Amino acid sequence: MIVVGVLGLSACSALGPAASAHPPVAIARDHLQGFVLTGRFALRQEGKNYPGRLHWRHDGDRDEWLLSSPLGQGLAEIVSDATGARLTGSDGNSHTAATADQLLQSLLAYPLPLSRLPDWLRGCNPDGGDLALDTLGRPLRLRYEDWLLHYEYDSDDPQALPGRLFVEREGGFELRLRIEEWQMLPTALPAKACVQ
C-alpha cells in the first residue's frame, strides 16, 4: 500500500487481480484464515497524500497485493510467500527480498509490518500490545509498539469484520483503508486462535 505513494509508480499498465482458485464462503472473524479483500486506501506520509485501490489475496503463507490508482490503473503488484517477496511496478521493473517487510524496508528505508496485517485485521495481538474491545467484543483499538490501529464496522454483528481500518505510526504515517468487500477462502488449515 505504501509503495504507491513513496515510489510514485506511474500508472501505465492494467494489472488484473489473480484469478480465484477457490469460491468465496461466508465469513466469521474468529475463523478468518484465507481471504480476498478489496477496497480503497488513502496514505498520508510526510505531508503528502496518496489515494488508491487495493486488491489483497491472503492464502496460507502467500500474499498478493495489487495496488491501483483511484481509477483502476495498475500501479504495482507485490507477491510474497515462503520463497521470498517480489514487487513488480507498472513499468515492468522488479525488486526482490526474503520477505515483504524486508522488501519495503529496502525500497522505502521505512519499516512497514505487512506480515502483521492479517492478524491486525482480525484484531489479533500475538506479540503483546494493548487491545481494546467494543461493547460487542470486537476489536476497537490496538496499540502495538509505535503503531495505533482503530477499527470501524458496517454492522452490529459481533463477528463482523472491519469495514474501515485506520493505521497510524508516530512520526507522521497515516493509512485509511475502506474495505468494500471481504471474501473468505476455504482452507485445509485449522483456524488459528486469535490472541486478544
Side-chain angles (χ1 to χ4, degrees), residues 135-177:
T135 57
L136 297 174
R138 304 175 301 189
L140 179 64
R141 187 176 49 259
L142 172 63
R143 179 173 289 281
Y144 177 79
E145 295 176 353
D146 55 354
W147 294 93
L148 180 62
L149 291 82
H150 294 274
Y151 301 82
E152 291 184 3
Y153 300 88
D154 294 329
S155 80
D156 291 333
D157 181 350
Q159 281 295 309
L161 291 163
R164 284 169 296 289
L165 185 66
F166 305 96
V167 181
E168 300 175 37
R169 185 173 190 221
E170 294 174 11
F173 172 87
E174 295 178 10
L175 172 67
R176 305 290 183 251
L177 177 61

Short mmCIF file of all heavy atoms in Angstrom, two decimals, residues 135-177:
data_model
loop_
_atom_site.label_atom_id
_atom_site.label_comp_id
_atom_site.label_asym_id
_atom_site.label_seq_id
_atom_site.Cartn_x
_atom_site.Cartn_y
_atom_site.Cartn_z
N THR A 135 -18.30 -2.79 22.83
CA THR A 135 -19.30 -3.43 23.68
C THR A 135 -19.76 -4.78 23.14
O THR A 135 -20.34 -5.57 23.89
CB THR A 135 -20.54 -2.51 23.86
OG1 THR A 135 -21.06 -2.20 22.56
CG2 THR A 135 -20.16 -1.23 24.58
N LEU A 136 -19.50 -5.07 21.86
CA LEU A 136 -19.87 -6.36 21.28
C LEU A 136 -18.70 -7.34 21.28
O LEU A 136 -18.80 -8.44 20.73
CB LEU A 136 -20.36 -6.16 19.84
CG LEU A 136 -21.64 -5.33 19.69
CD1 LEU A 136 -21.95 -5.07 18.22
CD2 LEU A 136 -22.80 -6.02 20.38
N GLY A 137 -17.57 -6.95 21.88
CA GLY A 137 -16.41 -7.81 21.96
C GLY A 137 -15.53 -7.81 20.73
O GLY A 137 -14.66 -8.66 20.57
N ARG A 138 -15.72 -6.83 19.86
CA ARG A 138 -14.91 -6.73 18.63
C ARG A 138 -13.73 -5.80 18.87
O ARG A 138 -13.80 -4.90 19.71
CB ARG A 138 -15.76 -6.18 17.48
CG ARG A 138 -17.01 -6.99 17.23
CD ARG A 138 -17.89 -6.36 16.19
NE ARG A 138 -18.31 -5.02 16.56
CZ ARG A 138 -19.22 -4.31 15.90
NH1 ARG A 138 -19.80 -4.81 14.84
NH2 ARG A 138 -19.55 -3.11 16.30
N PRO A 139 -12.65 -5.98 18.11
CA PRO A 139 -11.53 -5.05 18.23
C PRO A 139 -11.97 -3.62 17.93
O PRO A 139 -12.67 -3.37 16.96
CB PRO A 139 -10.54 -5.54 17.16
CG PRO A 139 -10.90 -6.97 16.94
CD PRO A 139 -12.38 -7.06 17.15
N LEU A 140 -11.57 -2.72 18.80
CA LEU A 140 -11.88 -1.29 18.64
C LEU A 140 -10.61 -0.49 18.40
O LEU A 140 -10.54 0.37 17.54
CB LEU A 140 -12.61 -0.78 19.88
CG LEU A 140 -13.00 0.69 19.89
CD1 LEU A 140 -14.02 0.98 18.79
CD2 LEU A 140 -13.56 1.07 21.26
N ARG A 141 -9.57 -0.82 19.19
CA ARG A 141 -8.30 -0.09 19.10
C ARG A 141 -7.18 -1.04 19.49
O ARG A 141 -7.31 -1.79 20.46
CB ARG A 141 -8.34 1.11 20.04
CG ARG A 141 -7.19 2.05 19.94
CD ARG A 141 -7.34 3.28 20.85
NE ARG A 141 -7.71 2.95 22.22
CZ ARG A 141 -8.94 3.05 22.74
NH1 ARG A 141 -9.95 3.48 22.01
NH2 ARG A 141 -9.19 2.73 23.99
N LEU A 142 -6.10 -1.01 18.74
CA LEU A 142 -4.94 -1.84 19.02
C LEU A 142 -3.69 -0.97 18.99
O LEU A 142 -3.47 -0.25 18.02
CB LEU A 142 -4.82 -2.97 17.98
CG LEU A 142 -3.55 -3.81 18.01
CD1 LEU A 142 -3.43 -4.58 19.33
CD2 LEU A 142 -3.51 -4.79 16.84
N ARG A 143 -2.92 -1.01 20.06
CA ARG A 143 -1.63 -0.33 20.10
C ARG A 143 -0.55 -1.40 20.18
O ARG A 143 -0.57 -2.25 21.06
CB ARG A 143 -1.50 0.61 21.29
CG ARG A 143 -0.13 1.30 21.32
CD ARG A 143 0.00 2.36 22.38
NE ARG A 143 -0.80 3.53 22.10
CZ ARG A 143 -0.46 4.49 21.25
NH1 ARG A 143 0.66 4.40 20.55
NH2 ARG A 143 -1.24 5.54 21.07
N TYR A 144 0.37 -1.35 19.20
CA TYR A 144 1.49 -2.27 19.17
C TYR A 144 2.75 -1.46 18.90
O TYR A 144 2.87 -0.83 17.84
CB TYR A 144 1.30 -3.34 18.08
CG TYR A 144 2.47 -4.27 17.99
CD1 TYR A 144 2.63 -5.31 18.90
CD2 TYR A 144 3.44 -4.09 17.03
CE1 TYR A 144 3.71 -6.15 18.84
CE2 TYR A 144 4.54 -4.92 16.94
CZ TYR A 144 4.68 -5.96 17.85
OH TYR A 144 5.77 -6.78 17.79
N GLU A 145 3.66 -1.45 19.86
CA GLU A 145 4.86 -0.63 19.79
C GLU A 145 4.46 0.80 19.44
O GLU A 145 3.67 1.40 20.17
CB GLU A 145 5.87 -1.24 18.81
CG GLU A 145 6.38 -2.58 19.29
CD GLU A 145 7.32 -3.27 18.31
OE1 GLU A 145 7.51 -2.78 17.18
OE2 GLU A 145 7.89 -4.31 18.69
N ASP A 146 4.93 1.37 18.33
CA ASP A 146 4.54 2.75 17.99
C ASP A 146 3.45 2.80 16.93
O ASP A 146 3.23 3.83 16.30
CB ASP A 146 5.75 3.58 17.57
CG ASP A 146 6.55 2.96 16.44
OD1 ASP A 146 6.22 1.83 16.03
OD2 ASP A 146 7.49 3.60 15.95
N TRP A 147 2.72 1.69 16.75
CA TRP A 147 1.60 1.62 15.81
C TRP A 147 0.29 1.71 16.58
O TRP A 147 0.13 1.11 17.63
CB TRP A 147 1.62 0.31 15.02
CG TRP A 147 2.79 0.20 14.10
CD1 TRP A 147 3.99 -0.39 14.36
CD2 TRP A 147 2.88 0.69 12.77
NE1 TRP A 147 4.82 -0.28 13.28
CE2 TRP A 147 4.16 0.37 12.29
CE3 TRP A 147 2.00 1.38 11.94
CZ2 TRP A 147 4.58 0.71 11.01
CZ3 TRP A 147 2.41 1.71 10.67
CH2 TRP A 147 3.69 1.37 10.21
N LEU A 148 -0.68 2.43 16.03
CA LEU A 148 -2.01 2.53 16.61
C LEU A 148 -3.03 2.26 15.51
O LEU A 148 -3.00 2.90 14.46
CB LEU A 148 -2.24 3.92 17.22
CG LEU A 148 -3.60 4.15 17.86
CD1 LEU A 148 -3.82 3.21 19.03
CD2 LEU A 148 -3.72 5.60 18.32
N LEU A 149 -3.94 1.30 15.76
CA LEU A 149 -4.97 0.93 14.80
C LEU A 149 -6.34 1.17 15.42
O LEU A 149 -6.55 0.87 16.60
CB LEU A 149 -4.87 -0.55 14.43
CG LEU A 149 -3.66 -0.98 13.61
CD1 LEU A 149 -2.44 -1.18 14.49
CD2 LEU A 149 -3.96 -2.24 12.85
N HIS A 150 -7.25 1.72 14.62
CA HIS A 150 -8.64 1.93 15.02
C HIS A 150 -9.52 1.16 14.03
O HIS A 150 -9.28 1.21 12.82
CB HIS A 150 -9.03 3.41 14.97
CG HIS A 150 -8.31 4.25 15.97
ND1 HIS A 150 -8.74 4.42 17.26
CD2 HIS A 150 -7.16 4.96 15.87
CE1 HIS A 150 -7.90 5.20 17.91
NE2 HIS A 150 -6.93 5.54 17.08
N TYR A 151 -10.54 0.49 14.55
CA TYR A 151 -11.44 -0.32 13.74
C TYR A 151 -12.83 0.30 13.75
O TYR A 151 -13.31 0.75 14.79
CB TYR A 151 -11.55 -1.74 14.32
CG TYR A 151 -10.24 -2.48 14.41
CD1 TYR A 151 -9.36 -2.27 15.47
CD2 TYR A 151 -9.88 -3.42 13.46
CE1 TYR A 151 -8.17 -2.96 15.58
CE2 TYR A 151 -8.68 -4.12 13.55
CZ TYR A 151 -7.83 -3.88 14.62
OH TYR A 151 -6.65 -4.57 14.71
N GLU A 152 -13.52 0.25 12.59
CA GLU A 152 -14.93 0.63 12.49
C GLU A 152 -15.64 -0.45 11.70
O GLU A 152 -15.05 -1.09 10.82
CB GLU A 152 -15.10 1.99 11.81
CG GLU A 152 -14.60 3.14 12.64
CD GLU A 152 -14.86 4.51 12.01
OE1 GLU A 152 -15.48 4.55 10.92
OE2 GLU A 152 -14.42 5.50 12.59
N TYR A 153 -16.93 -0.64 12.00
CA TYR A 153 -17.70 -1.74 11.43
C TYR A 153 -18.94 -1.21 10.72
O TYR A 153 -19.46 -0.16 11.06
CB TYR A 153 -18.10 -2.72 12.54
CG TYR A 153 -16.89 -3.30 13.24
CD1 TYR A 153 -16.32 -2.64 14.34
CD2 TYR A 153 -16.29 -4.45 12.78
CE1 TYR A 153 -15.19 -3.15 14.95
CE2 TYR A 153 -15.15 -4.97 13.39
CZ TYR A 153 -14.60 -4.31 14.48
OH TYR A 153 -13.48 -4.80 15.08
N ASP A 154 -19.42 -2.01 9.76
CA ASP A 154 -20.61 -1.64 8.99
C ASP A 154 -21.87 -2.33 9.51
O ASP A 154 -22.94 -2.11 8.98
CB ASP A 154 -20.41 -1.99 7.52
CG ASP A 154 -19.31 -1.14 6.88
OD1 ASP A 154 -19.14 0.01 7.30
OD2 ASP A 154 -18.64 -1.65 5.96
N SER A 155 -21.74 -3.18 10.53
CA SER A 155 -22.91 -3.87 11.08
C SER A 155 -22.71 -4.05 12.59
O SER A 155 -21.63 -3.81 13.12
CB SER A 155 -23.11 -5.23 10.41
OG SER A 155 -22.24 -6.19 10.97
N ASP A 156 -23.77 -4.51 13.25
CA ASP A 156 -23.72 -4.77 14.69
C ASP A 156 -23.44 -6.23 15.00
O ASP A 156 -23.57 -6.66 16.14
CB ASP A 156 -25.05 -4.35 15.35
CG ASP A 156 -25.22 -2.84 15.34
OD1 ASP A 156 -24.20 -2.13 15.33
OD2 ASP A 156 -26.38 -2.39 15.33
N ASP A 157 -23.05 -7.00 14.01
CA ASP A 157 -22.74 -8.42 14.21
C ASP A 157 -21.47 -8.54 15.06
O ASP A 157 -20.44 -7.96 14.71
CB ASP A 157 -22.54 -9.08 12.85
CG ASP A 157 -22.24 -10.57 12.93
OD1 ASP A 157 -22.00 -11.09 14.04
OD2 ASP A 157 -22.26 -11.21 11.87
N PRO A 158 -21.51 -9.31 16.16
CA PRO A 158 -20.30 -9.47 16.99
C PRO A 158 -19.13 -10.10 16.24
O PRO A 158 -17.99 -9.92 16.63
CB PRO A 158 -20.77 -10.39 18.13
CG PRO A 158 -22.24 -10.21 18.19
CD PRO A 158 -22.68 -9.95 16.77
N GLN A 159 -19.39 -10.84 15.14
CA GLN A 159 -18.32 -11.45 14.35
C GLN A 159 -17.96 -10.64 13.11
O GLN A 159 -17.21 -11.10 12.26
CB GLN A 159 -18.73 -12.87 13.94
CG GLN A 159 -18.57 -13.89 15.04
CD GLN A 159 -17.12 -14.08 15.43
OE1 GLN A 159 -16.26 -14.30 14.60
NE2 GLN A 159 -16.85 -13.95 16.71
N ALA A 160 -18.50 -9.42 13.00
CA ALA A 160 -18.24 -8.60 11.80
C ALA A 160 -16.75 -8.33 11.63
O ALA A 160 -16.02 -8.14 12.60
CB ALA A 160 -19.00 -7.29 11.91
N LEU A 161 -16.35 -8.32 10.39
CA LEU A 161 -15.01 -7.88 10.03
C LEU A 161 -15.03 -6.37 9.87
O LEU A 161 -16.07 -5.79 9.55
CB LEU A 161 -14.57 -8.54 8.73
CG LEU A 161 -14.34 -10.04 8.86
CD1 LEU A 161 -14.32 -10.70 7.49
CD2 LEU A 161 -13.06 -10.33 9.61
N PRO A 162 -13.91 -5.70 10.09
CA PRO A 162 -13.92 -4.24 9.98
C PRO A 162 -14.26 -3.77 8.57
O PRO A 162 -13.86 -4.38 7.59
CB PRO A 162 -12.50 -3.83 10.39
CG PRO A 162 -11.68 -5.06 10.26
CD PRO A 162 -12.58 -6.22 10.44
N GLY A 163 -14.99 -2.66 8.51
CA GLY A 163 -15.27 -2.01 7.24
C GLY A 163 -14.31 -0.88 6.97
O GLY A 163 -14.09 -0.48 5.84
N ARG A 164 -13.71 -0.37 8.05
CA ARG A 164 -12.71 0.68 7.95
C ARG A 164 -11.60 0.40 8.96
O ARG A 164 -11.86 -0.01 10.09
CB ARG A 164 -13.33 2.05 8.22
CG ARG A 164 -14.15 2.57 7.06
CD ARG A 164 -14.97 3.79 7.40
NE ARG A 164 -16.00 3.55 8.41
CZ ARG A 164 -17.12 2.84 8.22
NH1 ARG A 164 -17.34 2.28 7.06
NH2 ARG A 164 -18.00 2.69 9.18
N LEU A 165 -10.37 0.62 8.52
CA LEU A 165 -9.21 0.45 9.39
C LEU A 165 -8.36 1.70 9.26
O LEU A 165 -8.05 2.14 8.15
CB LEU A 165 -8.41 -0.78 8.95
CG LEU A 165 -7.24 -1.18 9.83
CD1 LEU A 165 -7.71 -1.62 11.21
CD2 LEU A 165 -6.45 -2.31 9.17
N PHE A 166 -8.00 2.28 10.41
CA PHE A 166 -7.17 3.47 10.45
C PHE A 166 -5.87 3.09 11.14
O PHE A 166 -5.89 2.62 12.28
CB PHE A 166 -7.87 4.60 11.22
CG PHE A 166 -9.23 4.92 10.68
CD1 PHE A 166 -10.37 4.37 11.24
CD2 PHE A 166 -9.38 5.76 9.59
CE1 PHE A 166 -11.63 4.64 10.74
CE2 PHE A 166 -10.63 6.04 9.07
CZ PHE A 166 -11.76 5.48 9.65
N VAL A 167 -4.77 3.28 10.46
CA VAL A 167 -3.46 2.89 10.98
C VAL A 167 -2.60 4.13 11.08
O VAL A 167 -2.47 4.88 10.11
CB VAL A 167 -2.78 1.86 10.05
CG1 VAL A 167 -1.43 1.43 10.61
CG2 VAL A 167 -3.69 0.65 9.82
N GLU A 168 -2.00 4.34 12.24
CA GLU A 168 -1.11 5.49 12.45
C GLU A 168 0.17 5.01 13.08
O GLU A 168 0.18 4.05 13.85
CB GLU A 168 -1.76 6.52 13.38
CG GLU A 168 -3.07 7.07 12.87
CD GLU A 168 -3.72 7.98 13.91
OE1 GLU A 168 -2.98 8.70 14.61
OE2 GLU A 168 -4.95 7.94 14.02
N ARG A 169 1.24 5.71 12.77
CA ARG A 169 2.52 5.45 13.41
C ARG A 169 3.13 6.79 13.80
O ARG A 169 3.05 7.76 13.04
CB ARG A 169 3.47 4.72 12.48
CG ARG A 169 4.76 4.35 13.20
CD ARG A 169 5.63 3.48 12.34
NE ARG A 169 6.72 2.95 13.13
CZ ARG A 169 7.96 2.86 12.69
NH1 ARG A 169 8.26 3.24 11.47
NH2 ARG A 169 8.90 2.38 13.47
N GLU A 170 3.71 6.80 14.98
CA GLU A 170 4.37 8.03 15.42
C GLU A 170 5.38 8.45 14.36
O GLU A 170 6.10 7.63 13.83
CB GLU A 170 5.07 7.80 16.77
CG GLU A 170 4.09 7.52 17.89
CD GLU A 170 4.79 7.13 19.19
OE1 GLU A 170 6.02 7.29 19.29
OE2 GLU A 170 4.08 6.67 20.10
N GLY A 171 5.39 9.71 14.02
CA GLY A 171 6.30 10.20 13.00
C GLY A 171 5.59 10.64 11.73
O GLY A 171 6.23 10.98 10.75
N GLY A 172 4.24 10.59 11.73
CA GLY A 172 3.52 11.18 10.61
C GLY A 172 2.96 10.23 9.58
O GLY A 172 2.44 10.67 8.56
N PHE A 173 3.01 8.92 9.80
CA PHE A 173 2.45 7.96 8.85
C PHE A 173 0.98 7.71 9.20
O PHE A 173 0.64 7.43 10.35
CB PHE A 173 3.22 6.65 8.93
CG PHE A 173 2.60 5.53 8.14
CD1 PHE A 173 2.90 5.37 6.81
CD2 PHE A 173 1.70 4.66 8.74
CE1 PHE A 173 2.32 4.35 6.08
CE2 PHE A 173 1.12 3.64 8.01
CZ PHE A 173 1.44 3.48 6.68
N GLU A 174 0.08 7.82 8.21
CA GLU A 174 -1.34 7.52 8.40
C GLU A 174 -1.85 6.75 7.18
O GLU A 174 -1.57 7.12 6.04
CB GLU A 174 -2.17 8.80 8.52
CG GLU A 174 -1.86 9.63 9.73
CD GLU A 174 -2.67 10.92 9.78
OE1 GLU A 174 -3.62 11.06 8.97
OE2 GLU A 174 -2.34 11.78 10.59
N LEU A 175 -2.60 5.70 7.46
CA LEU A 175 -3.23 4.92 6.41
C LEU A 175 -4.70 4.76 6.75
O LEU A 175 -5.05 4.37 7.86
CB LEU A 175 -2.59 3.53 6.30
CG LEU A 175 -3.28 2.55 5.35
CD1 LEU A 175 -3.15 3.02 3.91
CD2 LEU A 175 -2.71 1.16 5.52
N ARG A 176 -5.56 5.08 5.80
CA ARG A 176 -7.01 4.89 5.94
C ARG A 176 -7.41 3.86 4.91
O ARG A 176 -7.17 4.04 3.71
CB ARG A 176 -7.77 6.20 5.69
CG ARG A 176 -7.32 7.36 6.56
CD ARG A 176 -7.73 7.13 8.00
NE ARG A 176 -7.40 8.24 8.86
CZ ARG A 176 -6.44 8.22 9.79
NH1 ARG A 176 -5.69 7.14 9.93
NH2 ARG A 176 -6.23 9.24 10.57
N LEU A 177 -8.02 2.77 5.38
CA LEU A 177 -8.43 1.71 4.48
C LEU A 177 -9.94 1.53 4.59
O LEU A 177 -10.47 1.28 5.67
CB LEU A 177 -7.73 0.40 4.84
CG LEU A 177 -8.10 -0.84 4.04
CD1 LEU A 177 -7.79 -0.65 2.56
CD2 LEU A 177 -7.37 -2.06 4.58
#
